Amino acid sequence: MKPSHLLKVILASASPRRLQILKEHGLAAVVMPANIEEIQQKDEAAKNYVTRLAREKAQAVFSQIEEGTADIIIAADTTVSYQNHILEKPRDYADAYRMLSMLSGKSHEVHTGYALIFLQSQQWWIDCVTTHITFHSLTEQQIKSYIESGDPFDKAGGYGIQNVHETFIKEIQGSFYNVMGLPIDEILEKISLIGSIGC
């Protein structure tokens, strides 16, 4: 396989944060959102949910591209889980307030399912990475000011870690990039592994 910086990558996501992470780590990607239906199935666990969505996103893009146009498809989906409840992107101010108040002073998990399709070998790799986050106890003013910034509304759990790391976060156990939406260290490791075995 080519060196990672020469790989032609398709990112099956419209997330600017995922694209930024890939660029920061030397992967040039073309954005091709999958536009699948993202609905949790009955009794579906958070890890299973994001892993299934990542697989479906990758499959949707795979079915649309012509042979030879890329080397790898990368798809991902991220959600926040608190006491076995999935916290999606907040619907409105009240929903964001509810989520951030719930997470204040508590620990929760961030799960990102990801799927890699190595197009030359038609090999798939699907996995999920979990990061454990503990929030400081937040004041009402902190929560309100953050919501009024507009930042929570396109982010699972109602927060973007890159913007609240210094103020909201007490402890991180696991991948910081995973919380941003793409566990890049694990993905680069898989790309290196697949390349080393000649696929």
Side-chain angles (χ1 to χ4, degrees):
M1 182 172 283
K2 303 172 187 175
S4 61
H5 69 282
L6 295 179
L7 291 172
K8 295 178 182 176
V9 178
I10 293 177
L11 175 62
S13 169
S15 166
R17 292 173 296 281
R18 293 189 178 118
L19 182 62
Q20 174 193 343
I21 292 168
L22 290 176
K23 285 181 176 177
E24 286 177 355
H25 289 81
L27 291 173
V30 173
V31 172
M32 191 172 175
N35 299 320
I36 64 164
E37 191 173 56
E38 300 185 24
I39 299 176
Q40 184 185 12
Q41 296 176 352
K42 188 178 184 332
D43 298 326
E44 187 174 31
K47 288 184 179 182
N48 296 339
Y49 176 48
V50 292
T51 305
R52 174 177 62 81
L53 291 182
R55 184 183 68 247
E56 290 178 1
K57 288 178 180 180
Q59 178 66 58
V61 169
F62 178 64
S63 67
Q64 297 173 37
I65 64 170
E66 296 180 9
E67 187 175 346
T69 56
D71 299 304
I72 302 175
I73 295 171
I74 299 176
D77 195 84
T78 302
T79 199
V80 170
S81 175
Y82 174 68
Q83 295 184 351
N84 297 319
H85 295 289
I86 289 178
L87 303 182
E88 301 274 21
K89 298 171 185 176
R91 296 182 301 273
D92 52 28
Y93 185 105
D95 200 29
Y97 187 89
R98 175 187 67 85
M99 288 183 188
L100 293 170
S101 298
M102 185 187 302
L103 298 177
S104 174
K106 305 290 197 315
S107 298
H108 63 274
E109 294 76 45
V110 180
H111 309 285
T112 299
Y114 69 92
L116 309 177
I117 306 179
F118 296 86
L119 295 166
Q120 184 176 356
S121 62
Q122 304 279 295
Q123 184 168 352
W124 290 59
W125 193 299
I126 302 169
D127 205 350
C128 182
V129 175
T130 298
T131 302
H132 299 270
I133 301 286
T134 302
F135 268 23
H136 292 293
S137 293
L138 307 178
T139 67
E140 185 173 355
Q141 188 56 50
Q142 278 181 300
I143 293 172
K144 287 182 175 180
S145 295
Y146 181 57
I147 296 171
E148 287 165 4
S149 76
D151 195 55
F153 296 107
D154 65 339
K155 299 172 179 69
Y159 73 95
I161 193 167
Q162 65 275 25
N163 296 326
V164 300
H165 185 211
E166 300 298 326
T167 52
F168 284 19
I169 309 301
K170 182 178 181 180
E171 184 179 12
I172 300 176
Q173 295 179 344
S175 167
F176 178 90
Y177 284 108
N178 185 56
V179 187
M180 285 183 68
L182 197 69
I184 189 64
D185 293 329
E186 288 78 2
I187 287 173
L188 290 175
E189 181 182 337
K190 300 302 184 293
I191 291 173
S192 175
L193 175 64
I194 296 300
S196 70
I197 60 178
C199 294

